[in-house]
Amino acid sequence: MSLNLDTEDDFYLEENRFKQCCAEFIKHSQQIGDGWEWKSIKDFPDGYMSKTHFQMKNGNTPSIFKDSTKENDEQTFTHVEEALDDSQASEICATSEVIRYEYHVLYSSSYQVPVLYFRACFLDGRPLTLDEIWEGVHECYRARLLEGPWDTITQQEHPLLGQPFFVLHPCRTNEFMAPVLANSQRENRNINYVTSWLSIVGPVVGLNLPLSYAKLVSEQNTKTD
Amino acid sequence: MTDDKDVLRDVWFGRIPTCFTLYQDEITEREAEPYYLLLPRISYLTLVTDKVKKHFQKVMRQEDVTEIWFEYEGTPLKWHFPIGLLFDLHASNTALPWNITVHFKNFPEKDLLHCTSKDVIEAHFMACVKEADALKHKSQVINEMQKKDHKQLWMGLQNDHYHLIPGSNLEIPANLPASPNNKFDQFWAINRKLMEYPPEDSGFRYIPFRIYQVTTERPFIQKLFRPVATNGQLNTLGDLLKEVYPAAITPEDGEKKNQVMVHGIEPMLETPVQWLSEHMSYPDNFLHISIIPQPTD
């Protein structure tokens, strides 16, 4: 795996390598139906990874959505609104309790690391505040948020879409990624930077990664051993 | 020839005459008069409009007032963009004063960031300063500074004292004494460190810049760009545009379609970007460049 190492402390992720990591990540996501996609920006070489998932306020996934991760999320949204007139509506106590979460992984050329943008809204379009999003995050991760080497999460403008999102600030990503990368170098093992990074920051904001992502990379390692 | 330091002062003291009018559908107890203000180009809307808020709230009931937001000709104005950038981008070729509409209801959640306190503005400003230094110095200079130095940068943006012209509600900035206590000197005492570079280099590592256009969904273009080419020559504004946004440059035999504007002027495309970065950045240390249609008059 090629990294730009200016000094032994600098583990920068170069942009093309970022795109490669995302491609590998998405390939696995497609295999397990985890819903991640690559979105391109018209007329530019830029893009980002995106995942949308629905959850009820109590944390359950409504069953009508369980097969929907393979569809594009526009279709899923309409599917929801139609279904609510059916008998399946009884499973969803009120439309106001279904929340649509969106997660985007972008590349920051200033810090040369990936950045996680996220937002959530109710089906009627009303956005959730940061506090409301926290209510959906497990207690143990809230502690990690407070202890982690990152500044508090703030609302910022999405640099490609121009809409308000919440962001985990990237300026200290190197701090928590350095030991991960140093370890992998020491053990002569390949890792997917994006997978490792997302497995650390994701749960803090309600995004979980199935373990099979890690197994994928270790399979790649055993193949080259 | 203008001294380089004069450029710093011209940028710092730039003002835009603005007329604030309350949105017609806001519920008022009596007629709301428009409010005139000279806005500092280098500051942020929500930082300098306390008096505007107070003025309109005087004619409204408390219960009809939620978060203030501003709009120009139907477009919600992003408070997190510096005022000078907003003006250049939306209204630079229109007649003064700049007419801004004030709203206290129906905050456009999909378009604007919330600004619930001055702390939010400070956090945004400092995040930009830090990002600029990540580009210029791999964050070494900003990280070596103490918290009080960071605070001093922010304090430099706080409101100068204004004088009210008697008999009107027109405010103008007070003449600032040429003393080391004024905001400009306070700010630059710290900011000059962010503008330095090692003597063996010819400039910063990368130039902090953003290019804006109203016509795209994408808010800005930002890419890694070095101030010095591999052959040692200083890269110019023209070189930057050619690499990052070639559509902005007029072809040799073509008609000029766009203006490339910073702080209300069109710098010559031959200007070295290193010089522009040192002298025409906003206080957040970014060069905010607007691409706007060439006016046809």
Side-chain angles (χ1 to χ4, degrees), chain B residues 47-289:
Chain B
L47 193 54
V48 297
T49 49
D50 281 345
K51 292 207 155 88
V52 176
K53 199 157 79 162
K54 285 202 183 92
H55 169 81
F56 290 117
Q57 284 178 343
K58 275 195 293 210
V59 301
M60 296 176 71
R61 293 177 312 177
Q62 184 75 318
E63 57 263 40
D64 294 324
V65 172
T66 58
E67 189 173 348
I68 193 173
W69 58 279
F70 305 95
E71 163 244 308
Y72 175 69
E73 294 196 340
T75 305
L77 292 176
K78 298 179 183 182
W79 66 262
H80 67 283
F81 283 8
I83 291 168
L85 168 63
L86 287 171
F87 180 77
D88 289 345
L89 204 53
H90 294 290
S92 65
N93 291 310
T94 64
L96 295 172
W98 187 18
N99 286 303
I100 292 182
T101 307
V102 182
H103 294 256
F104 287 100
K105 280 199 324 265
N106 299 322
F107 190 87
E109 301 278 353
K110 292 212 158 55
D111 301 305
L112 297 183
L113 302 178
H114 284 284
C115 187
T116 46
S117 74
K118 300 280 184 282
D119 291 344
V120 175
I121 312 174
E122 182 179 2
H124 166 71
F125 172 72
M126 287 311 303
C128 291
V129 172
K130 287 181 183 169
E131 184 175 347
D133 204 58
L135 288 166
K136 290 199 272 189
H137 305 115
K138 287 207 266 188
S139 305
Q140 279 160 12
V141 178
I142 196 77
N143 285 345
E144 263 165 26
M145 286 183 182
Q146 296 182 343
K147 253 204 142 69
K148 67 175 174 70
D149 294 332
H150 294 178
K151 257 308 185 198
Q152 193 164 326
L153 287 173
W154 168 243
M155 290 315 291
L157 277 189
Q158 300 307 297
N159 283 342
D160 292 318
H161 297 294
Y162 283 86
H163 282 330
L164 186 70
I165 290 188
S168 80
N169 61 8
L170 178 67
E171 299 203 329
I172 57 168
N175 283 334
L176 296 165
S179 78
N181 292 325
N182 69 50
K183 302 294 183 186
F184 173 82
D185 289 335
Q186 249 179 43
F187 177 80
W188 275 98
I190 307 297
N191 201 52
R192 61 175 185 79
K193 299 184 205 166
L194 294 169
M195 291 300 181
E196 290 168 351
Y197 49 87
E200 60 269 22
D201 300 336
S202 314
F204 304 134
R205 185 164 191 248
Y206 297 109
I207 298 289
F209 73 90
R210 289 184 177 159
I211 299 180
Y212 301 81
Q213 255 199 323
V214 271
T215 49
T216 57
E217 178 183 68
R218 184 179 186 153
F220 55 77
I221 297 171
Q222 180 181 340
K223 292 233 169 332
L224 294 180
F225 187 79
R226 292 196 189 274
V228 189
T230 41
N231 62 8
Q233 294 244 319
L234 287 174
N235 280 326
T236 65
L237 178 58
D239 294 330
L240 175 93
L241 291 169
K242 220 182 299 179
E243 177 153 325
V244 162
Y245 195 46
I249 306 184
T250 314
E252 290 263 331
D253 49 353
E255 203 186 303
K256 186 164 183 272
K257 294 226 160 69
N258 292 316
Q259 288 184 305
V260 178
M261 188 166 286
V262 190
H263 294 295
I265 64 157
E266 288 188 79
M268 288 172 60
L269 294 182
E270 292 84 357
T271 316
V273 287
Q274 178 62 32
W275 187 92
L276 282 172
S277 183
E278 289 175 45
H279 296 87
M280 294 193 75
S281 290
Y282 280 76
D284 63 6
N285 278 240
F286 267 87
L287 267 176
H288 296 290
I289 302 167

